[in-house]
Amino acid sequence: MAYANEVKLFGKWSYDDVEVNDMALEDYIAVKPKQAVYVPHTAGRYQAKRFRKAQCPISERLACSLMMHGRNNGKKLMANRIVKHTFDIINLLTDSNPIQILVDAIINSGPREDATRIGSAGVVRRQAVDVSPLRRVNQAIWLITTGAREAAFRNIKTLPECLADELINAAKGSSNSYAIKKKDEIERVAKANR
């Protein structure tokens, strides 16, 4: 049973060489060997308590975020299949560990500054605020999956292909990615409202 001691995602991707290059997000992107899983389906109660979702394996959070828009609600097996295919495609295109690509994409596409609405007596103005690490991760995952979903909708390309493109572009920080474009836009608005 020598092979059983190392946990690999989908039996292929190792968690050992994955590193989080952003100090702020280290505790919020769960890729440590402690949170390593074979399949992103742990059925944990991650919404029961505040900040519990930071413990959720990052691939599972991606899968959960994929099952949105009524017709996909609750279809986690479908979401897991999409994540599995996506990781295969990423590996074929980049020859690197797809978990590392996912982590880099999340680090790059979470906005660091946002504008909030401060309204008093009917006068609404925007005020720039810093974004907490957990919200950066949440928003990054949401932007990535939304971009992939919009790209795949009414298109010949499948969702795993679009998601792989989105993740690779976001990991490179290229502005072809929906998430990076949105992040830049959010930060630009925030900068204008400082």
Side-chain angles (χ1 to χ4, degrees):
M1 294 293 284
Y3 62 88
N5 52 18
E6 195 201 350
V7 178
K8 290 185 171 180
L9 182 64
F10 298 121
K12 292 182 199 170
W13 318 118
S14 158
Y15 287 91
D16 290 349
D17 47 355
V18 177
E19 53 209 18
V20 183
N21 300 322
D22 190 321
M23 224 170 81
L25 303 183
E26 259 172 65
D27 302 336
Y28 293 95
I29 298 184
V31 285
K32 304 270 187 307
K34 204 179 127 215
Q35 283 113 354
V37 285
Y38 286 105
V39 271
H41 197 313
T42 58
R45 297 171 53 213
Y46 293 111
Q47 304 296 330
K49 200 156 152 233
R50 193 176 172 198
F51 294 121
R52 174 95 45 93
K53 58 173 149 184
Q55 261 44 68
C56 181
I58 200 69
S59 50
E60 180 169 1
R61 298 207 52 191
L62 184 70
C64 291
S65 185
L66 281 169
M67 23 178 219
M68 283 185 186
H69 281 312
R71 56 184 187 173
N72 305 328
N73 288 147
K75 300 184 183 174
K76 192 153 184 183
L77 296 179
M78 183 179 83
N80 284 356
R81 201 194 71 233
I82 292 172
V83 172
K84 185 177 178 180
H85 291 334
T86 303
F87 278 11
D88 288 338
I89 295 171
I90 290 177
N91 182 250
L92 289 172
L93 289 175
T94 61
D95 293 331
S96 49
N97 187 345
I99 305 177
Q100 182 65 57
I101 298 275
L102 171 64
V103 170
D104 293 346
I106 287 174
I107 289 173
N108 285 344
S109 48
R112 290 158 300 204
E113 190 181 29
D114 201 349
T116 180
R117 297 179 54 181
I118 291 187
S120 55
V123 183
V124 174
R125 48 184 283 265
R126 311 292 291 276
Q127 173 68 39
V129 288
D130 295 334
V131 179
S132 74
L134 184 62
R135 178 157 167 83
R136 273 178 65 186
V137 175
N138 298 347
Q139 213 166 358
I141 295 173
W142 186 82
L143 286 171
I144 288 167
T145 51
T146 305
R149 195 178 297 118
E150 283 183 11
F153 189 59
R154 294 197 177 159
N155 196 348
I156 302 173
K157 278 176 87 169
T158 59
L159 186 55
E161 288 170 7
C162 293
L163 186 56
D165 284 347
E166 180 71 36
L167 284 170
I168 290 167
N169 284 332
K172 284 193 300 213
S174 113
S175 57
N176 296 352
S177 146
Y178 173 90
I180 299 282
K181 277 207 288 266
K182 282 283 183 216
K183 172 200 144 183
D184 290 344
E185 186 186 330
I186 290 170
E187 289 185 348
R188 199 169 59 241
V189 170
K191 193 170 181 214
N193 291 310
R194 278 184 187 160

